[in-house]
Amino acid sequence: MLKGKTALVTGSTSGIGLGIAMALARQGANIVLNGFGDADGPRAQVLEAGRAAGIKTGYHGADMSKPGDIQDMMDYAAKDFGRVDILVNNAGIQYVSAIQDFPVERWDAIIAINLSSAFHTTRLALPAMLAANWGRIINVASVHGLVASAQKSAYVAAKHGIVGLTKVTALETAPTGVTCNAICPGWVLTPLVQKQVDAKAAEKGISNEDAKKLLLGEKEPSMHFTTPEQLGELAAFFCSPAGDNVRGVAWNMDGGWAAQ
């Protein structure tokens, strides 16, 4: 379905981003990965996922808090792949604290990586997408882009901002072949969430499995984690012809969290 297209997925060396990259690779898209840590392992996984379609992959280690790095990454993608047809803004970090105790530098980092980076990638990707009259911008928000939780002021503010940016981008591109939508997952068992599970297990003196059930029970009626693979399939749907007129949605995949 996406043969000849190129997808750039930020924060894609693990978790949700890697799941989305693999789903798009299976549809034939070339993939540009981004993230910290080991890139060779994830790149091999993506290549395997897209092996039947003969895809190629790239990697850029841009620090998504730095606009200069983001510019370099977008220039690299344009130079090596022609242009970015599909932009998935997934990079994100988390910090948990009451507002009065929230470190200012943590606030600034979360807003920069979780929100401002999506603005920078979008503004740089749009000209080529509009010239081609085809493009997909998928912003990975969160159920916290729709509702709030205590102790997560910066994350919730950033994710609400991502939903707002998604709507504005969708309106500005509405008459064109470029679409912009947001995915709003509930609990996904990524390394980021596993840290919260571990902390809850330590705090309560319970097993990891019991901590997972406690975490899900607080918010997610389905009592099941959403998987990166499921989120990848939703991203692939947005990129399909069926998604041509899906514009500006904040699509929650959250086991009923926001329905309460």
Side-chain angles (χ1 to χ4, degrees):
M1 180 177 74
L2 299 176
K3 184 76 172 170
K5 307 289 189 190
T6 294
L8 187 155
V9 187
T10 69
S12 51
T13 49
S14 67
I16 293 171
L18 181 56
I20 291 175
M22 291 175 68
L24 298 180
R26 281 191 288 271
Q27 294 295 334
N30 300 318
I31 304 293
V32 179
L33 296 167
N34 157 263
F36 295 131
D38 168 48
D40 292 337
R43 199 167 171 178
Q45 288 180 261
V46 171
L47 275 171
E48 179 59 28
R51 184 161 56 93
I55 71 158
K56 65 176 184 174
T57 66
Y59 169 78
H60 194 287
D63 180 338
M64 298 305 292
S65 70
K66 298 178 179 177
D69 278 21
I70 295 170
Q71 178 79 61
D72 287 345
M73 178 181 68
M74 300 301 288
D75 289 346
Y76 158 76
K79 179 175 176 289
D80 281 31
F81 291 84
R83 71 168 178 271
V84 174
D85 302 286
I86 300 161
L87 171 64
V88 182
N89 289 308
N90 171 71
I93 59 172
Q94 174 66 289
Y95 188 80
V96 178
S97 176
I99 292 170
Q100 66 271 23
D101 301 319
F102 212 99
V104 171
E105 66 276 9
R106 293 283 192 170
W107 171 278
D108 289 344
I110 289 172
I111 297 300
I113 293 173
N114 295 25
L115 177 57
S116 296
S117 70
F119 161 73
H120 290 301
T121 55
T122 298
R123 70 179 175 82
L124 293 166
L126 271 175
M129 289 182 177
L130 291 169
N133 199 36
W134 196 94
R136 295 290 184 266
I137 300 172
I138 301 169
N139 294 322
V140 179
S142 164
V143 69
H144 282 118
L146 305 171
V147 297
S149 291
Q151 309 284 309
K152 297 182 178 180
S153 56
Y155 189 83
V156 170
K159 293 304 188 180
H160 271 67
I162 281 285
V163 171
L165 177 64
T166 298
K167 292 177 180 179
V168 173
T169 307
L171 290 175
E172 291 185 6
T173 57
T176 77
V178 179
T179 71
C180 182
N181 294 289
I183 296 174
C184 299
W187 289 125
V188 183
L189 200 56
T190 62
L192 198 68
V193 170
Q194 186 60 54
K195 286 181 183 177
Q196 295 183 57
V197 172
D198 295 341
K200 192 170 285 290
E203 175 197 343
K204 303 284 187 184
I206 57 179
S207 71
N208 214 265
E209 282 306 308
D210 286 341
K212 288 177 184 176
K213 290 175 184 174
L214 195 59
L215 194 73
L216 288 166
E218 290 171 358
K219 299 284 188 179
E220 196 145 344
S222 69
M223 292 299 291
H224 290 291
F225 288 100
T226 301
T227 68
E229 292 75 20
Q230 289 168 333
L231 295 168
E233 291 304 316
L234 179 55
F237 162 75
F238 284 145
C239 295
S240 75
D244 282 352
N245 210 31
V246 180
R247 299 170 183 266
V249 305
W251 192 311
N252 46 314
M253 191 180 279
D254 63 0
W257 184 327
Q260 298 174 97

